[in-house]
Amino acid sequence: ISVRADVSEPDAKKSKLLDEDDETKQFIMERSSLLQSLFSTYIFYDDDGLCYTLFRKNKVITFAHGRALQLEKTVPIYSASKVSGTSSTPILVRVAEINTLMDFVILEAEADISEDAPCLRFPFMGQEFFQASFISASSTLSFQDGVITSVTLSERYCMGRVNRKLDGQKGCGCFDSIENTLIGIVVGYEQSDSLSGPCITRIVAPGSFF
């Protein structure tokens, strides 16, 4: 009897762990689905798969470095909600501001391109957030958790630590994990050569662009 008890106990533990794994996977899938429904209308991408984040009903922002963008240039962008089966009609936005010092570009449309826009908030040390970006290789929205590790005195710039670097994250929005407010956009990485493991992201905060 004791032998049978010894065998069944690990089996029970294994079964419990498998159940917990299933529950975790289910939670992740449900969370991802919820985030996509909430934020797909805030994230856009262009013909090169580069990311743009909505911060006003008719304005988006992206990173500036390495881009062939000039004032008044018109750029077609697409809503990331396209991945969930919505219209893929291009939206024309015009370059309204280029800030090479803070590394961002603001583009605006003649009319509203979204029914609402995210609330803007200043970031703070230790704040938990997630990045919402469009990954062109898989045509999917990606969400990655992070934490703010430093903020400048002017609250115009901050750094955040995320699990790993992903293509398509530059230009993506950073949203507070609790309030879902926009606290900035990613413009680059401090550890740009990091292909796996945690890396540090450079984030332009709302104090720079509104």
Side-chain angles (χ1 to χ4, degrees):
I1 298 174
S2 61
V3 173
R4 290 181 181 176
D6 290 340
V7 171
S8 61
E9 186 175 353
D11 286 346
K13 288 182 179 179
K14 182 178 180 181
S15 177
K16 183 179 180 182
L17 287 173
L18 289 174
D19 288 342
E20 290 176 349
D21 271 353
D22 289 341
E23 289 177 3
T24 301
K25 290 176 182 177
Q26 182 66 24
F27 171 77
I28 292 173
M29 289 176 62
E30 290 177 355
R31 178 177 183 261
S32 178
S33 177
L34 175 61
L35 290 175
Q36 289 200 37
S37 66
L38 289 172
F39 296 100
S40 61
T41 56
Y42 296 159
I43 305 300
F44 296 79
Y45 62 97
D46 62 18
D47 290 327
D48 296 319
L50 300 177
C51 202
Y52 299 70
T53 298
L54 185 86
F55 71 98
R56 289 285 186 262
K57 289 183 179 181
N58 70 325
K59 292 183 179 181
V60 294
I61 183 170
T62 188
F63 65 98
H65 66 272
R67 309 287 293 274
L69 294 175
Q70 299 177 342
L71 286 174
E72 301 300 323
K73 180 178 180 179
T74 299
V75 179
I77 61 174
Y78 308 85
S79 172
S81 59
K82 166 192 173 184
V83 298
S84 36
T86 345
S87 171
S88 59
T89 304
I91 300 165
L92 297 181
V93 289
R94 175 183 58 84
V95 177
E97 179 183 348
I98 300 175
N99 189 320
T100 54
L101 179 62
M102 297 302 294
D103 196 10
F104 68 80
V105 179
I106 290 176
L107 304 94
E108 62 181 7
E110 291 185 357
D112 292 348
I113 58 177
S114 177
E115 293 182 359
D116 66 345
C119 294
L120 306 180
R121 292 288 185 272
F122 292 109
F124 57 84
M125 276 285 293
Q127 183 176 20
E128 294 183 354
F129 69 93
F130 62 87
Q131 296 178 174
S133 56
F134 182 79
I135 309 300
S136 58
S138 55
S139 295
T140 57
L141 278 172
S142 171
F143 301 93
Q144 184 168 204
D145 295 319
V147 61
I148 298 299
T149 55
S150 67
V151 182
T152 62
L153 291 177
S154 62
E155 296 182 321
R156 299 176 67 189
Y157 196 83
C158 62
M159 309 291 283
R161 186 180 68 250
V162 294
N163 294 330
R164 63 193 177 99
K165 187 178 88 171
L166 294 174
D167 291 335
Q169 285 186 338
K170 285 191 292 185
C172 76
C174 297
F175 297 87
D176 179 87
S177 294
I178 297 175
E179 297 182 343
N180 296 335
T181 52
L182 179 65
I183 62 170
I185 67 154
V186 174
V187 295
Y189 303 89
E190 282 298 292
Q191 301 171 359
S192 58
D193 58 343
S194 175
L195 298 178
S196 62
C199 69
I200 303 298
T201 57
R202 299 195 303 274
I203 300 169
V204 171
S208 297
F209 54 83
F210 85 95

